Amino acid sequence: MAASMARVCRYFLRHKSCVPLTTSFALKCKFHCSISARTGLIQGLYKRGIVKESFPDDAAHERLPALLQSGAQTVYCGFDPTADSLHVGNLLALIGLLHFRSAGHHVLVVLGGATAQIGDPSGKTSEREQLCADVVEANTRRIRESIYRIFTNHELNFHDGSKTPGTVTVLNNLSWYKDWNVVKFLSEAGRHLRMGTMLSRHSVQSRLRSSEGMSLTEFTYQAFQAYDFHHLNQIYGCKIQLGGTDQLGNLMSGHDFIHKVSSEEVYGLTLPLVTSSTGDKLGKTAGNAVWLDRDRTSPFELYQFFLRQPDASVEGYLKLFTFLPLAEVERLMEQQRADPAKRLAHKRLAAEVTKLVHGKEGLGSAKRCTNTLYHSSVQALEEMSDLELQELFREAPFHELLLEPGTTVIDACRLVKAIPEGPKGYRMVSEGAVWLNHERTDKPEQVLIPKLHILANGLTLVRVGKKNFYIIKWLSL
């Protein structure tokens, strides 16, 4: 079963451009997990710190566990495509969905093609810049690809093959709003929402007290999110919504809306906001986002982000961002305390997250880049692809040059403008200020030697001083 599921994942990844935004990406299962597999799911999420609050208040302790044990349920989380990539601040929500899916429950990922054009005021001090429909659509496509990749990586690398996962369906909420007009929406949905309740939300109150105030457009956001939950409840039987702690007001609006319209009992679960070591929220607004798209943040950069976390954060992050059993997390922390210099917990955290986001291939790339940059490994440098080189040395000029017979060290340096023309550049080489492939060179007139100056992959990495890199790809080898 696991092998066949993997084939399905690979098929969709190869043909994802053929799937319209409004259609579902469903990984179907033939059998439900046993009830025992679902027992204690909410309790486990609380222990890991993934669930912070529940709504209604008694849901997590009484009705919701019983509901989850009664059979496969449907849970959803939404993401507004206001950029062309999700970021680490969003990753915890995806991990929450993955835990539900592993337990046999069905997952809906809703991309806000409609709501991204409105703007969520939650946690914002000013109104979001308006996005045109074309930009939102392009962002939606890119984010959908990332979600496919992460769910596929989880199934291939982390899911217990003895258990059958639930389905995954990716939707765009523009599909159920595109034929509506404002009169119809206010007539059908607006009458079930109360102004007093909406005005009392923290996200609204904080903006109303600000100097900029709050636009009518932003104020209606919670109405659209509430209707999203209602729509998913009616069409997919969805009874559980996940969201960050700053989304609690929107989750409550959805609960109230559904309760008034259909009397269905639904639940909201909030996840903690991921913050930096200084307490700042990680995300687009804060300007410190670590992205999940390789074009924005390379596997190496993602790996290094988690590797560099403060010691005090590592245990919590292992529980939040990995699927390691809690007993294994505790063993890792004991090993770390016994020999902190080895940083075993940091390395495991970085490896697990990178493998989830970018797969085994991405983790291998991150380790090659790490060995090249921090351990001066010529072997790792020789194994690197052109893409990895450009990711690792993002600011370094990349040159593709024809190798002429008799090309010398100083010729190569001058061709890429790594050194000044004339005697000054010559002195820099002769005085040992230039390194080729991690080896210091002090012979300007030396002809480039294969396997020393030019690696088997046709690469020469030039470094001048400590931080100035230049990449040469020789084309005639």
Side-chain angles (χ1 to χ4, degrees), residues 173-191:
N173 66 7
L174 185 61
S175 66
W176 53 86
Y177 289 121
K178 63 182 180 180
D179 296 325
W180 281 47
N181 59 46
V182 65
V183 174
K184 181 180 179 182
F185 181 76
L186 291 175
S187 176
E188 295 193 15
R191 67 180 65 254

Side-chain angles (χ1 to χ4, degrees), residues 400-413 415 445-450 453-454 458 460 472-477:
E400 292 184 329
L401 303 175
L402 290 172
L403 181 63
E404 299 290 343
T407 301
T408 64
V409 169
I410 196 161
D411 290 337
C413 293
L415 283 169
E445 304 295 344
Q446 184 176 27
V447 175
L448 297 181
I449 302 171
H453 302 124
I454 305 171
T460 298
I472 303 175
K473 182 74 173 182
W474 301 102
L475 300 178
S476 60
L477 296 179

